[in-house]
């Protein structure tokens, strides 16, 4: 244990992730979180981000061995002034702000003698915010910049390095000015450009696709946080903007002149730099996880080939709402691991099809309960594809009919139907499988080796469902699809039998801006690949 008491002032993504990671690694005796919002404190405590929470930073700072300022940059100095008289001798203080020059100078001047300050900036995070997105593995295989000035105590710097190494990060020590100059280029300018692309293309967004999504993802970041970053690093940002403007001017001239050689030269230079960056980054992460991997695999990328099985009886359970991507990811993951793909949604569709073909109304629970007594549902995997049987007949294609899609929500919420399929699904677990549905983690396979909850923004799920139906040739409108998705969500979450919810030990993954391949890779890492 490094610290007896840790106070994290600001339990958002970064502060919350620090709390989770420190608790998991037993680096602190107790962790107290600070935020002014009662709902945020309650969520942080419920998620296990902190041991308890308060809304008074002075109360949290009292007797703390480590104080972490994880608020927007503009709030750090005012809060520090507020708690100064509560900081005990020997306390170590840090912040996780994205700019340092102005901040470190002010904090160095404020912190009383006998208390130690070292600035930190973990190069990690996302456009998400809030304790709900906290991730105990956020800092693993990441770089954390520590700042050093003439006032930095060597012992304090060493202890801060120990903390970040324990959280899984590599550390590098820079001066505050060096930090701001580098981050202006690799973090702050890209964010500003992403905002510009979104703002200047508002009317053209309906035509945007994957590349534009990738380029502009970070524009979803918290405006308050980024306002503070831009203002506090304005000098370096101005220099970056001047340089990028000159480069864009040069590229414009190349296009106007039709200079093909110059264009290819510039694009090739960018391509090579990007590829070299990816190789260094992926190699560093891979070798950090397994130093002997490169020798064993002969320098290969380290990606497991299709059919590789970590353990014969491995069970991976995936839950999530409609159109979160679980079917695509489940199928891909099963192929990569060489396991059976259990598409539970397909089984419920088979039941719905059987009910309809018997002339039973899907909402008539008694009639459905009687009808399923004579049904035989089966699932097989042939050449990587799932085949669904109803009373011995292959109905894989027919279960995708529009009338079946409308009937499924009613049938799937019935306890008798869920009970019948529960037994069948558990009978398939013998040789391992990848199971995806809405209660795989919570009810069907509560002891699964790996549990994952996939989610996405409602607007993204509606778009995915609309695109899927259009590809099938269905005549649908965005409004109708939205109503359907909302109704399905309500039914799934409010049904009495195995409602959709996040298992406490499931890994939460937001797929809104992730490809199926990226999601698959994340789950594979949980499986030990």
């Amino acid at each position: 244990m490094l610290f007896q008491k840790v106070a994290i002032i600001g339990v958002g993504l970064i502060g919350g992730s620090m709390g989770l990671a420190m608790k998991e690694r037993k680096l602190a005796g107790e962790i107290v979180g600070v935020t002014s919002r009662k709902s945020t404190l309650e969520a942080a405590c419920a998620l296990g981000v902190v041991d308890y929470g308060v809304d008074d930073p002075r109360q949290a700072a009292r007797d703390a061995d480590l104080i972490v300022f994880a608020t927007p940059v503009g709030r750090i100095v005012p809060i520090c002034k507020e708690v100064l008289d509560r900081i005990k001798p020997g306390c170590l203080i840090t912040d996780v702000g994205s700019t340092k020059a102005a901040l470190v100078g002010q904090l160095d001047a404020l912190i009383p003698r006998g208390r130690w300050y070292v600035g930190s900036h973990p190069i990690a995070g996302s456009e998400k915010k809030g304790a709900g997105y906290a991730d105990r593995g956020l800092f693993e295989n990441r770089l954390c910049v520590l700042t050093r000035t003439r006032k930095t105590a060597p012992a304090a710097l060493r202890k801060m390095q120990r903390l970040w190494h324990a959280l899984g990060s590599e550390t590098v020590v820079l001066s505050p000015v060096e930090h701001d100059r580098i981050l202006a280029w690799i973090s702050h300018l890209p964010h500003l450009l992403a905002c510009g692309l979104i703002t200047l293309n508002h009317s053209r967004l309906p035509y945007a696709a994957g590349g534009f999504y990738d380029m502009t993802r970070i524009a979803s970041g918290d405006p308050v946080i980024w306002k503070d970053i831009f203002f506090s690093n304005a000098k370096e940002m101005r220099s970056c903007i001047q340089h990028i403007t000159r480069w864009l001017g040069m590229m414009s001239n190349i296009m106007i002149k039709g200079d093909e050689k110059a264009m290819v030269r510039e694009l090739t230079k960018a391509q090579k730099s990007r590829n070299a960056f990816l190789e260094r980054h992926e190699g560093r992460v891979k070798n950090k996880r397994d130093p002997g991997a490169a020798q064993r695999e002969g320098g290969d990328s380290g990606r497991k080939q299709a059919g590789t099985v970590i353990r014969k009886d491995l069970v991976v359970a995936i839950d999530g709402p409609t159109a979160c991507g679980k079917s695509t990811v489940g199928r891909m993951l099963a192929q990569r691991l060489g396991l059976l793909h259990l598409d539970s949604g397909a089984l419920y569709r088979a039941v719905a099809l059987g009910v309809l073909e018997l002339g039973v109304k899907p909402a008539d629970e008694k009639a459905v309960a009687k009808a399923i007594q004579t049904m035989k549902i089966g699932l097989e995997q042939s050449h990587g594809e799932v085949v669904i049987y109803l009373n011995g007949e292959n109905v894989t294609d027919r279960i995708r009919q529009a009338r079946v899609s409308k009937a499924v929500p009613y049938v799937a919420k019935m306890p008798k139907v869920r009970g019948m399929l529960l037994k069948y699904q558990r009978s398939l677990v013998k040789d391992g499988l990848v199971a995806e549905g809405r209660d795989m983690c919570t009810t069907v396979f509560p002891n699964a080796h790996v549990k994952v909850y996939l989610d996405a923004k409602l607007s993204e799920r509606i778009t995915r469902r609309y695109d899927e139906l259009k590809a099938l040739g269905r005549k649908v409108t965005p409004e109708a699809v939205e109503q359907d998705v909302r109704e399905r969500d309500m039914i799934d979450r409010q049904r009495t039998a195995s409602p959709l919810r996040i298992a406490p030990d499931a890994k939460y993954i937001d797929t809104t801006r992730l490809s199926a391949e990226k999601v698959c890779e994340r789950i594979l890492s949980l499986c030990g690949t």
Side-chain angles (χ1 to χ4, degrees):
M1 180 166 36
L2 283 177
F3 307 98
Q4 184 58 46
K5 178 182 177 182
V6 174
I8 300 178
I9 301 176
V11 285
L13 174 67
I14 300 297
S17 296
M18 284 189 73
L20 278 178
M22 293 180 75
K23 289 182 68 175
E24 182 181 73
R25 293 162 173 79
K26 296 179 171 53
L27 300 177
E30 65 174 10
I31 299 177
V32 54
V34 182
T35 182
S36 58
R37 294 182 180 178
K38 183 179 178 181
S39 59
T40 303
L41 283 178
E42 291 174 348
C45 293
L47 293 168
V49 168
V50 296
D51 293 308
Y52 65 96
V54 297
D55 59 5
D56 181 4
R58 288 169 57 81
Q59 180 183 346
R62 190 183 191 94
D63 296 324
D65 302 294
L66 171 67
I67 298 174
V68 180
F69 290 103
T71 64
V73 174
R75 292 287 302 139
I76 293 175
V77 171
I79 296 176
C80 185
K81 290 179 178 178
E82 187 180 341
V83 304
L84 276 180
D85 64 341
R86 296 299 179 97
I87 302 176
K88 73 176 186 179
C91 178
L92 184 59
I93 301 144
T94 192
D95 71 279
V96 292
S98 296
T99 59
K100 294 300 183 196
L103 178 64
V104 171
Q106 293 180 76
L107 291 179
D108 263 351
L110 276 176
I111 304 299
R113 292 185 64 179
R115 289 80 171 166
W116 315 110
Y117 167 69
V118 179
S120 302
H121 182 196
I123 313 298
S126 76
E127 75 280 11
K128 308 300 182 185
K129 66 174 185 176
Y133 291 100
D135 181 354
R136 59 177 53 86
L138 184 66
F139 309 113
E140 292 178 2
N141 307 308
R142 300 286 187 163
L143 185 68
C144 180
V145 178
L146 302 178
T147 59
R148 177 168 51 199
T149 69
R150 286 179 295 178
K151 291 189 174 183
T152 304
L157 180 61
R158 287 194 297 271
K159 191 159 188 179
M160 192 56 63
Q161 287 175 318
R162 284 180 62 196
L163 169 61
W164 286 107
H165 292 164
L167 296 179
S169 296
E170 297 179 19
T171 59
V172 62
V173 180
L174 298 174
S175 73
V177 172
E178 287 177 310
H179 168 276
D180 285 7
R181 184 174 298 130
I182 292 170
L183 268 294
W185 273 106
I186 66 169
S187 176
H188 308 162
L189 179 64
H191 191 96
L192 188 67
L193 294 175
C195 292
L197 282 172
I198 281 289
T199 302
L200 297 174
N201 283 287
H202 181 73
S203 63
R204 291 175 282 271
L205 293 180
Y207 303 96
F212 192 84
Y213 281 127
D214 292 340
M215 284 285 292
T216 59
R217 174 185 59 81
I218 53 178
S220 295
D222 187 339
V224 174
I225 291 176
W226 280 98
K227 176 261 295 181
D228 287 353
I229 290 172
F230 290 146
F231 284 163
S232 60
N233 204 22
K235 181 180 177 181
E236 297 298 339
M237 282 295 293
R238 182 181 181 184
S239 175
C240 290
I241 292 169
Q242 289 172 341
H243 278 81
I244 198 73
T245 301
R246 285 197 292 270
W247 184 84
L248 289 172
M250 179 193 73
M251 295 299 288
S252 177
N253 288 334
I254 289 173
M255 286 183 274
I256 295 299
K257 292 177 181 178
D259 190 341
E260 294 184 4
K261 288 185 178 180
M263 178 61 75
V264 172
R265 182 183 66 243
E266 291 300 319
L267 296 179
T268 301
K269 187 190 304 181
Q271 180 193 50
K272 288 182 177 179
S273 295
R274 165 71 171 165
N275 290 343
F277 162 71
L278 288 178
E279 288 176 7
R280 288 195 304 271
H281 176 72
E282 292 174 357
R284 179 171 64 83
V285 171
K286 174 183 166 184
N287 292 330
K288 172 89 173 175
R289 289 174 178 164
D290 185 355
Q295 288 81 357
R296 291 197 307 274
E297 298 173 11
D300 188 62
S301 66
R303 180 175 293 178
K304 296 288 182 180
Q305 301 300 311
T308 301
V309 181
I310 303 307
R311 52 182 293 174
K312 185 178 179 181
D313 61 345
L314 178 68
V315 175
V316 181
I318 305 173
D319 284 338
T322 296
C324 66
K326 59 184 180 291
S327 294
T328 302
V329 170
R331 181 169 58 252
M332 185 182 298
L333 191 66
Q335 291 174 350
R336 293 282 293 274
L337 293 170
L339 297 174
L340 173 70
H341 173 212
L342 171 53
D343 179 355
S344 68
L347 297 179
Y348 283 102
R349 283 177 170 273
V351 173
L353 176 65
V355 167
L356 291 170
E357 294 194 341
L358 288 172
V360 175
K361 292 182 178 180
D364 188 337
E365 191 164 353
K366 289 184 178 180
V368 170
K370 183 177 180 180
I372 63 174
Q373 294 177 8
T374 60
M375 284 186 200
K376 291 184 179 180
I377 307 295
L379 178 150
E380 290 183 0
Q381 190 157 289
S382 177
H383 304 290
E385 296 296 326
V386 173
V387 180
I388 303 297
Y389 293 93
L390 172 61
N391 298 326
E393 181 183 358
N394 184 341
V395 294
T396 308
D397 294 330
R398 288 164 56 199
I399 62 174
R400 303 297 169 184
Q401 295 171 357
R403 62 176 185 143
V404 175
S405 296
K406 291 180 180 179
V408 166
Y410 300 98
V411 172
K413 70 178 182 179
M414 297 177 181
K416 292 284 188 182
V417 174
R418 302 197 75 83
M420 177 186 78
L421 291 182
L422 175 65
K423 294 178 181 178
Y424 177 68
Q425 289 172 108
R426 286 181 174 173
S427 73
L428 301 173
V429 78
K430 178 181 176 182
D431 295 321
L433 50 77
V434 175
E436 44 94 358
R438 289 170 172 80
D439 63 347
M440 298 296 102
C441 300
T442 55
T443 302
V444 184
F445 301 114
N447 297 317
H449 303 101
V450 177
K451 294 182 181 182
V452 179
Y453 187 93
L454 300 185
D455 202 356
K457 289 182 177 179
L458 179 61
S459 58
E460 175 67 14
R461 293 195 289 118
I462 291 168
T463 299
R464 291 177 184 175
R465 184 63 175 153
Y466 176 78
D467 291 343
E468 177 188 1
L469 295 174
K470 292 292 286 185
L472 292 172
R474 305 271 179 83
K475 293 182 179 180
V476 293
T477 64
E479 294 76 17
V481 172
E482 177 177 357
Q483 181 180 350
D484 179 65
V485 171
R486 287 183 181 277
E487 287 179 355
R488 185 63 196 267
D489 283 354
M490 182 180 68
I491 292 173
D492 288 338
R493 293 187 170 107
Q494 294 182 359
R495 66 179 179 234
T496 55
S498 301
L500 174 64
R501 58 186 177 86
I502 305 175
D505 53 347
K507 171 71 174 179
Y508 181 93
I509 300 178
D510 186 338
T511 70
T512 303
R513 294 289 181 261
L514 296 177
S515 66
E517 179 67 29
K518 291 274 189 183
V519 177
C520 185
E521 290 292 343
R522 289 195 181 186
I523 301 176
L524 282 171
S525 70
L526 300 175
C527 298
T529 67

